[in-house]
Amino acid sequence: MKPVAPQCNILSVLPTESKRALCERCEVNGLSFCGAFGKAHSDRLQEITTQARLGAKQTLFMEGDPAEYIFTLAAGMMEISRHKPSGRRQIIGFLGAADFLGLAHAGCYAYTATAISDVALCRFRRRSFEALMNEFPELEHGLFKAVSNELVESQNQSLMLGQKKAEERVASFLLWQLRKSGGDHAESIDLPMTRGQIADYLGITIETASRTFTALKEREFIGLTGSHKVNICNRDGLEMLAEG
Amino acid sequence: MKPVAPQCNILSVLPTESKRALCERCEVNGLSFCGAFGKAHSDRLQEITTQARLGAKQTLFMEGDPAEYIFTLAAGMMEISRHKPSGRRQIIGFLGAADFLGLAHAGCYAYTATAISDVALCRFRRRSFEALMNEFPELEHGLFKAVSNELVESQNQSLMLGQKKAEERVASFLLWQLRKSGGDHAESIDLPMTRGQIADYLGITIETASRTFTALKEREFIGLTGSHKVNICNRDGLEMLAEG
DNA sequence: CGGCCGCTTGACCTACCTCAACTTATGTGG
DNA sequence: CCACATAAGTTGAGGTAGGTCAAGCGGCCG
């Protein structure tokens, strides 16, 4: 895996006047921590909000950068990854609409964040956000909840990597994506990430990931329309597989 | 793995009058989130603190129980674990002095907590603690930081389970325990947990864990005095191994 | 003393990794 | 719009780390 291209922070910041309109239309209102709070104190939050966009494959920030901003992902998908001194890298999560982004450890970002598809973000200067949190404790509650959820997710991930077999991992991953994207009733999912990224996240090789997709297709658990479009044919079956 | 014995919440609550004395002597003051805060508002915190003890192998709470309390671990070691519907269980962490305990998800504990050695805890009723947080935002900051650290830990765990080999896992585990227990200079560590618990946590089998310990001993990276006492003979070597 | 539990060691087996060839998408310049 | 280059994905063959099963060892407690 080559080093990440140094094209960080390429943000095309949108004109100020459109901010409110964008935020009110924002698909994630009511879901992310800013949504609930924004209803009550919309104007105060907007004062410190910057809308931003980022193209696919661009890096928003790198692990270890000073953590000046925090973000909410409004649309699109991003990956977050961490590096080992040895140079090895692992994707530790995929983020979708309404997810929080920008956890800091000792003042620096704890992971690298890269766009998988084109994305839209709300950006908050950390200092301003902290000031607002001091003023409105419910905002801090919201952020706290977001981090708690992230922690539970991460522990799920540990569970998975700790004991599941390749097939169980892929099945879990597909169901997780299904839940995240289309509510519970959708039957097809779009996977903007590559097989390589999925494999990395699941702790298996590209080849094993690919073989497993093929096997699931052959056994008619899923259908594949190109490699980024998956139809769930036998959801209950997948749930069985995922449990192990 | 048999189901956890239903001996939850067996707390021998200490007499009230000794609370302050205990807290002031508490080894973890200054480390845990209550420590820093306690210096300034010691009396307010103590009002809602209950000191408690728990014997080895006893369960403090189970995943899914209503999360009425939160805890700080003052002395001893605990394991936290999660269950899959299938009945499989995985240890997702070991907690030591100063660690926070009691993360809730939707009002219920997100994991099961069990004492490995005899432990001493500070217990706070969640509602009281939340009230105090509303009054003193810096207390919420402290808790927030504790959860953030837990998240980073958990992500480290994912990194490990995702790509490390058995030997790298054991080496990382030993170094992590070393750092946690004796500062950076200690040369021996006490591992109160069994090989089975270590293996579970590291996502390998008991046999592999045992073989790896033996191999590390044979190659003189470590020395073993009984199976719960480890001497670090070649720390740099271990660091190399751990990185992979 | 005897039973139990945690730990170790050995022999075998399999799921997954590695290496390699090939096919299919994606994108770029003429 | 096609030709070519490059990246992503699939498939096969073979090797290995670590899982599984089974037996033996040592300490601890009744």
Side-chain angles (χ1 to χ4, degrees), chain B residues 50-97:
Chain B
T50 309
Q51 295 274 352
R53 295 184 182 274
L54 196 61
K57 298 192 188 173
Q58 292 188 320
T59 295
L60 181 61
F61 55 76
M62 302 253 300
E63 179 179 357
D65 285 354
E68 199 182 345
Y69 300 100
I70 64 176
F71 304 86
T72 295
L73 187 48
M77 182 168 284
M78 302 196 70
E79 62 160 77
I80 58 179
S81 61
R82 290 185 51 182
H83 298 257
K84 311 242 64 184
S86 58
R88 282 197 308 203
R89 185 186 86 105
Q90 170 141 10
I91 294 173
I92 53 173
F94 295 108
L95 302 182

Side-chain angles (χ1 to χ4, degrees), chain B residues 127-169:
Chain B
R127 294 176 56 102
S128 316
F129 198 84
E130 276 165 3
L132 205 59
M133 283 200 299
N134 282 332
E135 196 176 339
F136 300 102
E138 61 268 42
L139 190 57
E140 178 152 31
H141 295 340
L143 189 59
F144 184 82
K145 213 165 226 176
V147 174
S148 297
N149 287 339
E150 236 182 295
L151 178 54
V152 172
E153 278 291 335
S154 174
Q155 290 177 343
N156 280 336
Q157 178 68 356
S158 291
L159 262 184
M160 167 143 95
L161 295 174
Q163 39 183 230
K164 287 193 182 175
K165 296 194 195 297
E167 189 172 73
E168 303 169 328
R169 295 183 194 202

Side-chain angles (χ1 to χ4, degrees), chain A residues 82 84-86 88-90 92 103 105 111 134 140-141 143-144 147-152 154-159 161-164 168 203 243, chain B residues 82 84-86 88-90 92 103 105 111 134 140-141 143-144 147-152 154-159 161-164 168 203 243:
Chain A
R82 290 186 50 183
K84 311 242 64 185
S86 57
R88 283 197 308 203
R89 186 186 85 105
Q90 170 140 12
I92 54 172
L103 180 77
H105 186 62
Y111 45 69
N134 282 331
E140 179 154 31
H141 296 339
L143 189 60
F144 184 80
V147 174
S148 297
N149 287 339
E150 236 182 292
L151 177 55
V152 172
S154 173
Q155 290 177 343
N156 281 336
Q157 177 69 356
S158 290
L159 262 183
L161 295 173
Q163 39 185 227
K164 287 191 182 177
E168 303 170 328
E243 282 315 330
Chain B
R82 290 185 51 182
K84 311 242 64 184
S86 58
R88 282 197 308 203
R89 185 186 86 105
Q90 170 141 10
I92 53 173
L103 181 77
H105 186 61
Y111 46 69
N134 282 332
E140 178 152 31
H141 295 340
L143 189 59
F144 184 82
V147 174
S148 297
N149 287 339
E150 236 182 295
L151 178 54
V152 172
S154 174
Q155 290 177 343
N156 280 336
Q157 178 68 356
S158 291
L159 262 184
L161 295 174
Q163 39 183 230
K164 287 193 182 175
E168 303 169 328
E243 283 315 330

